[in-house]
Amino acid sequence: MGLVDADVVVIGAGALGLSTALHCALAGRSVAVVERHTAGSQASGRAAGLFKSVQADELRTALARRSITRAMTFADWAGAPLKTVRPGSFLIARTDQHRQFLCRELDQSRRWGADVREATPAELAERLTYYRPVGDYFALSCPEDIYIEDPASLIQAYLAACRRHGAAVIENEPVIGIPVTAGRVTGVETERRSIAAPVVVDAAGGWVRQVAGLAGAWVPLAPVRHQLLITEPTPQVDPADPIIRVVDAALYLRPARGGLMIGGFEPDPLPVDPRHQPPSFSTDDVPLDLGVLRQLAAQVAREVPLASTAPVAEHRGGLFTMSPDGRFVTGPVPDLPGLWVASGCNGSGFSSSLGIGEALAAWITTGTPPPGLTALSPARFGPLPDHALVSRGLWQYAHYYDPAA
Ligand SMILES: Cc1cc2nc3c(=O)[nH]c(=O)nc-3n(C[C@H](O)[C@H](O)[C@H](O)COP(=O)(O)OP(=O)(O)OC[C@H]3O[C@@H](n4cnc5c(N)ncnc54)[C@H](O)[C@@H]3O)c2cc1C
């Protein structure tokens, strides 16, 4: 392939990049996605696949609920099949502080349109096989919630839809330059080609800061490790069971491949900055620690005995890109026309990719931000030193389920 001109070049073929590319293509733009490895091979391919309708603010609630609808109707608007599972979820609190927190979430999420209700003990007993509530607790039922069993299936659906709508996806080709002429970004460069484009979207996940740096720009994000495990198949888990989120333990659980998936947010998370790693650093090099997950799971040993004892079939992890306020970082990069960013996943970039990509593409292609979206713009932050970015990102990570508690 020689010189290619496109309306939009997206850097990174994870969920956020592919969704943005697909939506720009659906809006009639010529689009090229350039990916350093293979599509979905980094954070997006490791995701638990969970979609969560209860969110900390109205905008995120709208984006999350829109994403659920778009995932469930993917074939209708994108023209490629996508399998989703809708067992709903329970949010559980076992401390007074977290009970109060969930009561607030119930009230506000309902106001923002989500279908959330208080769950009775009988409902929990009837719907759950792998989780037996013990002692005093409070639970919410969130029937809208879904999951995608294998994260690769969303990536494959995006790729099929991109092909169908004419967006080119170039793999195994890192972007190594973003030329700037007269104060404007003019495209991207790889070792094999230059692609001229008036719009370049940095959707490079854990590498988003390095990529922005190629154009001399700065985005306020700090990558942090996240891990999950899947147990060997066991009859103690009914595959039809709902998702569980135990907010005081910062844990999520769901059926997976006949076993149980367990993921969680440790109180003392590990920042991993790819800028300080060898150039070849990839998600495969993120150091994993099963002990962290075992400790998190031990908090629910009475409710889910198998969580700490069952043999592990898979242990995987990768990087979240955490922002200082826990919200997405999406929109035009200040003072550098032509450069856009789709990042700040804060652990929800897989699921919210459907809504974020749609909204960002609308902003790019019409020049007008969809209602509320400027609140996610990278311009909302002033300069922040690295240590502040990291400490605020770690706080957001550790408070994933209770950012206001
Ligand atoms: C274990 C785990 C579980 C998770 N569970 C969930 C979940 O249940 N629900 C949820 O919503 N989110 C979840 N997440 C978060 C979710 O995976 C991320 O928010 C999402 O994948 C981010 O997508 P992305 O496109 O920004 O990043 P990525 O998928 O990492 O994609 C970025 C891409 O950019 C490429 N790239 C980097 N540098 C360059 C370059 N110079 N040139 C070209 N390409 C480049 C990378 O190779 C990569 O493929 C989870 C994450 C992990 C690690």
Side-chain angles (χ1 to χ4, degrees):
M1 218 165 155
L3 183 75
V4 180
D5 288 314
D7 296 323
V8 179
V9 176
V10 177
I11 304 170
L16 286 169
L18 288 173
S19 178
T20 306
L22 172 59
H23 284 94
C24 286
L26 285 167
R29 300 302 187 275
S30 62
V31 183
V33 184
V34 187
E35 164 58 45
R36 185 169 72 129
H37 300 290
T38 53
S41 60
Q42 305 302 305
S44 299
R46 319 289 161 118
L50 301 171
F51 290 59
K52 182 171 183 278
S53 55
V54 169
Q55 296 286 335
D57 59 55
E58 188 167 7
L59 177 61
R60 272 182 284 177
T61 305
L63 284 167
R65 296 184 68 233
R66 173 73 180 160
S67 295
I68 290 174
T69 304
R70 296 286 274 180
M72 295 193 68
T73 57
F74 195 90
D76 301 339
W77 60 268
L82 175 66
K83 197 162 169 251
T84 56
V85 187
R86 183 173 244 173
S89 79
F90 289 114
L91 280 164
I92 296 178
R94 303 171 306 166
T95 68
D96 267 354
Q97 185 197 2
H98 290 90
R99 172 192 293 259
Q100 284 166 26
F101 174 69
L102 282 192
C103 285
R104 280 199 301 279
E105 289 218 301
L106 172 64
D107 182 47
Q108 67 198 22
S109 293
R110 272 190 173 155
R111 253 187 293 126
W112 299 332
D115 181 4
V116 192
R117 1 186 158 121
E118 190 175 337
T120 62
E123 195 179 350
L124 262 74
E126 187 192 331
R127 299 262 344 263
L128 288 169
T129 55
Y130 68 80
Y131 189 97
R132 290 275 155 233
V134 181
D136 208 15
Y137 68 92
F138 178 75
L140 299 181
S141 166
C142 315
E144 294 178 314
D145 288 1
I146 64 168
Y147 65 82
I148 289 177
E149 172 71 54
D150 177 0
S153 62
L154 177 61
I155 298 302
Q156 290 311 318
Y158 277 138
L159 287 174
C162 279
R163 272 194 300 274
R164 189 183 171 100
H165 297 285
V169 180
I170 301 162
E171 296 177 294
N172 300 307
E173 213 170 300
V175 168
I176 54 170
I178 302 179
V180 177
T181 306
R184 270 203 74 90
V185 160
T186 56
V188 304
E189 283 165 358
T190 73
E191 274 184 2
R192 296 175 55 200
R193 75 192 90 208
S194 297
I195 306 177
V199 172
V200 173
V201 182
D202 178 358
W207 296 264
V208 71
R209 296 186 67 186
Q210 278 115 304
V211 165
L214 294 174
W218 179 81
V219 287
L221 290 165
V224 176
R225 176 185 70 185
H226 181 68
Q227 332 176 62
L228 61 78
L229 65 81
I230 300 174
T231 72
E232 293 284 356
T234 158
Q236 293 170 65
V237 180
D238 182 338
D241 267 17
I243 303 156
I244 298 260
R245 297 181 172 98
V246 185
V247 292
D248 52 276
L251 263 186
Y252 58 82
L253 306 107
R254 74 156 168 94
R257 300 183 204 149
L260 187 64
M261 176 185 287
I262 305 165
F265 302 83
E266 65 263 45
D268 189 17
L270 181 73
V272 180
D273 192 336
R275 291 175 309 168
H276 304 142
Q277 303 292 331
S280 63
F281 175 82
S282 80
T283 301
D284 291 336
D285 303 312
V286 172
L288 298 185
D289 183 348
L290 194 56
V292 166
L293 285 172
R294 289 288 193 208
Q295 262 183 346
L296 287 166
Q299 299 174 91
V300 293
R302 290 197 306 158
E303 291 91 341
V304 200
L306 79 94
S308 28
T309 55
V312 173
E314 186 182 349
H315 174 203
R316 67 184 191 234
L319 298 178
F320 281 6
T321 46
M322 303 304 298
S323 66
D325 60 4
R327 308 176 95 201
F328 289 98
V329 176
T330 296
V333 171
D335 305 324
L336 191 49
L339 187 62
W340 296 69
V341 63
S343 191
C345 82
N346 289 285
S348 306
F350 179 82
S351 51
S352 296
S353 62
L354 293 125
I356 290 280
E358 182 186 30
L360 184 62
W363 193 348
I364 290 170
T365 57
T366 66
T368 307
L373 213 71
T374 51
L376 304 183
S377 160
R380 71 186 184 275
F381 300 105
L384 274 171
D386 264 17
H387 65 84
L389 271 181
V390 170
S391 65
R392 288 170 67 174
L394 294 182
W395 191 93
Q396 294 295 342
Y397 180 93
H399 292 272
Y400 184 78
Y401 286 137
D402 62 350

